[in-house]
Amino acid sequence: MFDYVKRMIASIVGRNNHEVNKEPRIIPKMVSFAAVRTCSILQQRGYKAYVVGGAVRDLLLGVKPKDFDVATDATPEQVKRAQRRAFIIGRRFRLVHVVFGNEIVECST
């Protein structure tokens, strides 16, 4: 099963198994505008931000993800300052919900 997944990812990326592309890719047709905008705003402010979690798995499988999670090196307070409609949730493990209309992007540090 693992070999099948490796071959599928290599065919999507278009490289053989020995070449590794370390640049992040965006599959624009399937990634939501809210997730791309959240990552780009954080990256413009000098933070690292990437779409992670089940959305990446779904994108690799060719399925449209139902929700998007973003991982960043910015603190929750920095994410809140960077985004227009952002709400810090949780007490112990703090997350930020960035709201774009009816879509919510979850940001974690």
Side-chain angles (χ1 to χ4, degrees), residues 38-51:
T38 301
C39 288
S40 65
I41 287 173
L42 289 169
Q43 289 171 357
Q44 287 171 2
R45 294 197 175 215
Y47 304 111
K48 293 179 183 175
Y50 303 100
V51 174

Side-chain angles (χ1 to χ4, degrees), residues 8 12 25-37 51-52 54-69 103 105:
M8 187 173 69
I12 290 171
R25 292 186 334 128
I26 295 177
I27 305 169
K29 294 178 184 171
M30 299 178 99
V31 179
S32 80
F33 170 77
V36 173
R37 182 84 174 134
V51 174
V52 296
V56 175
R57 177 201 59 227
D58 292 345
L59 289 170
L60 289 173
L61 293 174
V63 178
K64 185 162 178 71
K66 63 178 182 174
D67 67 337
F68 290 89
D69 302 323
E103 186 174 356
V105 177

Side-chain angles (χ1 to χ4, degrees), residues 47-109:
Y47 304 111
K48 293 179 183 175
Y50 303 100
V51 174
V52 296
V56 175
R57 177 201 59 227
D58 292 345
L59 289 170
L60 289 173
L61 293 174
V63 178
K64 185 162 178 71
K66 63 178 182 174
D67 67 337
F68 290 89
D69 302 323
V70 172
T72 181
D73 61 348
T75 64
E77 291 79 16
Q78 292 168 330
V79 174
K80 185 172 172 53
R81 280 194 300 266
Q83 302 292 335
R84 199 171 262 228
R85 293 200 43 170
F87 305 98
I88 298 175
I89 62 165
R91 292 182 185 195
R92 186 166 173 227
F93 183 71
R94 298 172 63 200
L95 299 171
V96 180
H97 279 177
V98 180
V99 179
F100 285 87
N102 62 351
E103 186 174 356
I104 296 174
V105 177
E106 191 171 81
C107 292
S108 62
T109 300

